[in-house]
Amino acid sequence: MLYRMPRPEGGAWQPLDTSVKTSDQALGTPSTNSSLEAMASKSKSPPVSADQTVSESFASILRHNFENMERWEHTARSWADIEGVHQLRVTVRRMRSALPLFESAIPRSSDRHWREEMRWLAGELGLARDLDVFISEVLVSLDAKLPLKGADRFMRIAEQRRARAYEEQVRGMLDSGRYRRFKEGFGAWLDSREWEKTAQGAKRAERLSANIIPYARNRLDKQERRVLAAGSHVNRDKPEEMHRLRIACKKLRYAAEFFQPLFTGMDVFISHMKGLQDLLGTLNDVAVTQNLLGALLTGQKDRQLFIYAGGILGWRTCDSHHMLIRFDGCWEEFVEAQHPWWKKSQTDRAAGSDSADKAADPSKNS
């Protein structure tokens, strides 16, 4: 018996019927053209400009990613092009990240419902994406390297489980009334800028109408400090600490990409984050692999499968230890990177940086 992976917030594995009828067509064959066509529609920096208010920039960031989410819906229905689910999930994560990034200006009561719905969307896409990565980057790459029996059988089990994940969770979510209501409601919320109507008090209104430059600088500074706090004395042997660092880095990366049009040289800063993010992402993939192996092997009795799974886990664990050797170099590159948002801009001076900074940082109003 195979098991469905738990939600991110926890919970027990749920039994899953293994009577999956799969054919070569059902399992999918990677498309040679769909990825190239779809890559052209990948998200670029959102249309944020230096003359926008905080509220206008918030709307631009969310609208840009919301439209990108809709653009990837069709591709995400099949693993013939695994870029579909990947881009759909990343786009949802970007929108989720934008909400707390603007929380000092946007009333929490206004976006609470959308936070919950985006968490649900990301959860429905999670298992399919994990299995896509596991199959394409682990099973396929180890097939010619691991001198153990059971590779074909293990691949078949993983493909069956992926077929189930796409059918029940990905397509089930995309075809659901809940998803339709999310799109309709969220689109209307963006069009009407409902958060401006629910904002109460002069301070909140001032933050929403302030120029985006000082606000962006303030938020980037704060998120960078969180990364430095998480990584300066991180214990590399504790997965939970490395996980916190990875999440903090990801939030800073998203914020930098949101505000990239505002500061010259932001693309260079983002490039300096890449090595650290790639390393932390690979280490996280090892933890995900361990969980997937446990789920895929539950109920199995073939001894060769367990031996093969042990080989996979050993290989991946060895990879992770080798990657940790690079941590110091990646960390130093990030710490020494120049921060484009520290440079005062003409927009700052024109808008009056002192008053705008107070609007961006509520603590300065006390």
Side-chain angles (χ1 to χ4, degrees), residues 18 120 136 147 153 161 163 216 236 238 247 276 278 284 357:
T18 58
W120 168 69
S136 63
R153 172 94 170 118
R161 185 62 191 92
R236 303 172 210 184
K238 290 188 176 181
I247 296 302
L276 180 62
D278 288 348
N284 183 68
D357 278 335

Side-chain angles (χ1 to χ4, degrees), residues 98-364:
L99 298 180
L101 184 65
F102 284 84
E103 64 185 358
S104 66
I106 306 300
R108 186 68 181 264
S109 60
S110 177
D111 66 24
R112 183 177 294 110
H113 173 69
W114 306 122
R115 292 183 188 227
E116 294 172 355
E117 291 303 280
M118 289 177 193
R119 184 180 185 182
W120 168 69
L121 291 173
E124 294 301 292
L125 297 167
L127 180 56
R129 176 56 185 166
D130 288 344
L131 284 165
D132 280 339
V133 173
F134 179 67
I135 290 171
S136 63
E137 297 183 11
V138 179
L139 294 185
V140 172
S141 65
L142 290 183
D143 185 41
K145 301 175 184 177
L146 208 56
L148 297 171
K149 296 180 179 179
D152 292 342
R153 172 94 170 118
F154 210 100
M155 176 68 81
R156 192 66 177 176
I157 291 173
E159 287 177 333
Q160 287 180 333
R161 185 62 191 92
R162 177 169 66 175
R164 198 78 175 198
Y166 267 81
E167 175 64 28
E168 293 187 347
Q169 292 172 265
V170 179
R171 289 192 288 271
M173 179 269 288
L174 291 173
D175 292 334
S176 69
R178 184 174 179 177
Y179 182 65
R180 175 180 51 79
R181 289 189 297 272
F182 165 77
K183 290 203 300 179
E184 293 173 353
F186 189 69
W189 186 71
L190 289 177
D191 290 338
S192 65
R193 294 191 193 173
E194 190 67 28
W195 57 88
E196 294 180 351
K197 302 173 185 177
T198 56
Q200 297 180 354
K203 290 182 180 179
R204 181 79 72 175
E206 183 181 2
R207 291 173 208 150
L208 285 172
S209 61
N211 179 262
I212 187 57
I213 293 283
Y215 187 91
R217 178 180 295 112
N218 176 270
R219 304 315 295 176
L220 288 164
D221 271 344
K222 285 191 172 183
Q223 189 55 45
E224 189 208 19
R225 288 197 293 271
R226 292 189 180 105
V227 174
L228 293 173
S232 294
H233 303 288
V234 66
N235 186 335
R236 303 172 210 184
D237 296 324
K238 290 188 176 181
E240 63 274 14
E241 292 190 19
M242 297 296 280
H243 177 70
R244 283 195 293 269
L245 176 58
R246 184 180 69 87
I247 296 302
C249 284
K250 182 175 292 187
K251 290 180 178 179
L252 177 59
R253 170 71 176 268
Y254 288 158
E257 290 176 343
F258 292 155
F259 299 135
Q260 184 172 350
L262 303 178
F263 305 103
T264 302
M266 189 69 87
D267 55 335
V268 178
F269 173 78
I270 292 172
S271 70
H272 286 300
M273 291 191 67
K274 188 178 187 306
L276 180 62
Q277 278 200 291
D278 288 348
L279 186 150
L280 293 170
T282 301
L283 294 177
N284 183 68
D285 288 344
V286 174
V288 171
T289 295
Q290 185 172 359
N291 291 333
L292 285 176
L293 289 174
L296 294 173
L297 288 173
T298 301
Q300 297 293 331
K301 298 180 180 180
D302 188 339
R303 183 169 175 268
Q304 287 185 349
L305 292 177
F306 287 89
I307 295 174
Y308 192 79
I312 292 174
L313 188 57
W315 195 289
R316 296 285 283 168
T317 301
C318 183
D319 277 347
S320 69
H321 284 296
H322 283 297
M323 289 204 70
L324 278 174
I325 298 173
R326 296 172 40 212
F327 180 83
D328 286 341
C330 293
W331 179 252
E332 288 176 9
E333 181 181 359
F334 163 71
V335 172
E336 294 174 2
Q338 293 185 351
H339 306 78
W341 61 89
W342 285 351
K343 300 176 182 178
K344 288 290 182 180
S345 68
Q346 292 182 352
T347 305
D348 271 328
R349 292 189 287 272
S353 60
D354 182 63
S355 60
D357 278 335
K358 289 181 180 180
D361 189 351
S363 66
K364 297 183 180 180

Side-chain angles (χ1 to χ4, degrees), residues 40-97:
S41 63
K42 268 193 178 182
S43 175
K44 297 180 181 179
S45 297
V48 176
S49 61
D51 60 348
Q52 287 182 331
T53 65
V54 171
S55 182
E56 289 169 342
S57 293
F58 178 68
S60 294
I61 290 168
L62 287 178
R63 171 61 68 182
H64 172 78
N65 283 282
F66 181 60
E67 291 175 352
N68 199 54
M69 181 192 77
E70 294 183 305
R71 197 175 297 129
W72 283 98
E73 284 179 2
H74 178 73
T75 308
R77 289 180 168 275
S78 170
W79 61 92
D81 183 354
I82 64 175
E83 191 73 11
V85 159
H86 174 52
Q87 289 299 323
L88 192 61
R89 190 185 185 203
V90 167
T91 302
V92 171
R93 282 181 167 179
R94 289 178 187 275
M95 290 193 293
R96 288 184 70 190
S97 183

